[in-house]
Amino acid sequence: MPAGKRFSVACIGAGNVGATVAQYCLDMELGDVVLVDVVEGLPQGKALDLTEAGPVRGYSCVAIGTNDYSDIAGCDVVVVTAGLPRKPGMTRLDLVEKNGKIISEVCENIGRYAPESVVIIVTNPLDVMCYLALKRLGFPPRRVVGMAGILDSARLRSFVAAELGVSMKNVDTMLLGSHGDQMVPLPRYTTVSGVPITQLMPKERIDALIKRTREGGGEIVALLKTGSAFYAPGASVARMVQCILHDERQIVPCSAYLTGQYDMKDVYIGVPVRLGKGGVEEILELELTDEEYAALKASADDVREGIEGLRKIGLL
Ligand code: A3D
């Protein structure tokens, strides 16, 4: 690292998502970025390439790539994308074990070199890896948060906009629950310029868009054949980094540690949070119908099963 230089954002894992987070953070001039990976040359090459785009894109922030965790010292935000996506034939527990080992090693280094940072987890299975990271880091829960809800809601917003032929900017939504099949979209809270979509389209169409959102990750995997989505995930993480570094206090859906909210505790799940300088500054409790609450509970039970898996393999 250049002497005296202070970086704002670290991305652990310089693969598809990590490099895209770096790209958006630089383009939004959020600060200088450190890319860390175990593969030699990969973070260095991507960081150099990203820095060289600066004069063309008009940003003056720079990136460095490294295989040495001590270079993350002083970063305000650390984004963790290190890990594997689930591959065909892999069980859920296989993924928990493989990525759990990676997250444990990564957290040991974050704890050593960036103990004051806010940590954003991206590695799947998301809510389970957030829980493991919290326990490994020993940070206050507000400083360990997972990215999923912003991505899932962005997908739903884009589908609603296309369906109704309106600008994506006019569509807003909120969703809860774990990342994946068990997410809990809330059509009542999905609006176009303030009007709930329940007044704008028939139930069958809403159900179809929600199903597509739920399966949104899989739709892209099936098209790409290898690897998974990274542009929208990268953009979603950069938005979270912006909220934190600029102390925006926006209300966004994120995976957060519950301590009694929604009558649940000791679990990570997607909920609306106020995201600012300290990380998760508040968890907002929406009024839910019985059906929505039951879906949220089922979602949390699913995450707990993954956490149990971590215990079984001795990672907790
Ligand atoms: P990929 O392009 O394979 O990048 C992962 C990177 O992690 C690779 O460059 C690896 O070398 C690196 N890595 C592995 N082990 C370590 C380690 N111990 N320390 C540092 N780096 C390491 O994958 P990707 O970027 O597409 O996805 C990364 C993760 O994010 C996967 O688990 C995905 O499933 C997950 N993901 C989650 C979402 C959510 O919405 C939650 C979206 C997209 C991807």
Side-chain angles (χ1 to χ4, degrees), residues 152-211:
D152 294 330
S153 60
R155 285 182 175 145
L156 181 57
R157 287 167 67 190
S158 75
F159 300 153
V160 168
E163 177 85 9
L164 294 173
V166 299
S167 164
M168 289 192 267
K169 289 183 190 166
N170 289 143
V171 185
D172 219 338
T173 186
M174 180 51 71
L175 37 77
L176 308 174
S178 63
H179 182 52
D181 302 346
Q182 301 269 3
M183 77 175 70
V184 185
L186 301 173
R188 291 185 299 134
Y189 290 103
T190 305
T191 57
V192 179
S193 293
V195 182
I197 56 166
T198 45
Q199 296 175 24
L200 298 172
M201 57 175 106
K203 185 173 178 313
E204 311 81 76
R205 288 310 302 153
I206 295 176
D207 290 347
L209 300 188
I210 285 176
K211 181 172 185 294

Side-chain angles (χ1 to χ4, degrees), residues 23-30 49-62:
Q23 181 185 356
Y24 283 123
C25 286
L26 293 169
D27 217 49
M28 291 156 78
E29 299 212 79
L30 296 181
D49 198 8
L50 284 165
T51 300
E52 288 168 359
V56 186
R57 293 293 310 152
Y59 55 77
S60 50
C61 296
V62 298

